[in-house]
Amino acid sequence: DLTYTPRPKTQFRLSYNRRSDVAVQFGQQSFIFDSVRLTATQQIGVTGKWLATATLGFDLGNFSDTPGAISFARTDTTYNAGLRLVYQPRPWLSGI
């Protein structure tokens, strides 16, 4: 993760995650899943109780071939975006 705070109330975060495992759908099929996210957070007002967050993401899943006659190898690509308004009345409590 990389975090950049250009101003006290503004923050940008770039995150990358890679994981690999065996898929549950088919026996002996392994996969590698890459995920990239860019998140921008802006504090609204002077109290710090309201935050606006925008997220852009990209996911790439590579599934290996399985032994047998039918090939289940595939690559899945997903793009996503989101906006959130967060109310945080106390530093330890938030509502999305």
Side-chain angles (χ1 to χ4, degrees):
D1 290 351
L2 296 173
T3 302
Y4 174 62
T5 307
R7 294 181 296 234
K9 295 182 179 184
T10 306
Q11 183 180 61
F12 296 97
R13 180 179 177 193
L14 178 65
S15 62
Y16 171 75
N17 184 23
R18 175 175 239 189
R19 62 188 180 100
S20 61
D21 207 343
V22 176
V24 296
Q25 295 94 339
F26 304 104
Q28 301 177 8
Q29 183 183 37
S30 63
F31 70 88
I32 297 173
F33 194 81
D34 294 309
S35 180
V36 178
R37 296 277 179 280
L38 176 62
T39 304
T41 303
Q42 176 67 48
Q43 182 181 346
I44 301 170
V46 294
T47 62
K49 293 182 178 184
W50 289 96
L51 301 169
T53 303
T55 304
L56 295 173
F58 171 77
D59 299 321
L60 179 65
N62 288 311
F63 293 82
S64 69
D65 200 3
T66 56
I70 301 173
S71 174
F72 293 105
R74 69 180 199 274
T75 300
D76 296 343
T77 304
T78 306
Y79 300 94
N80 53 63
L83 294 172
R84 294 189 302 172
L85 183 61
V86 179
Y87 177 65
Q88 189 171 351
R90 302 276 187 247
W92 48 267
L93 177 67
S94 67
I96 301 172

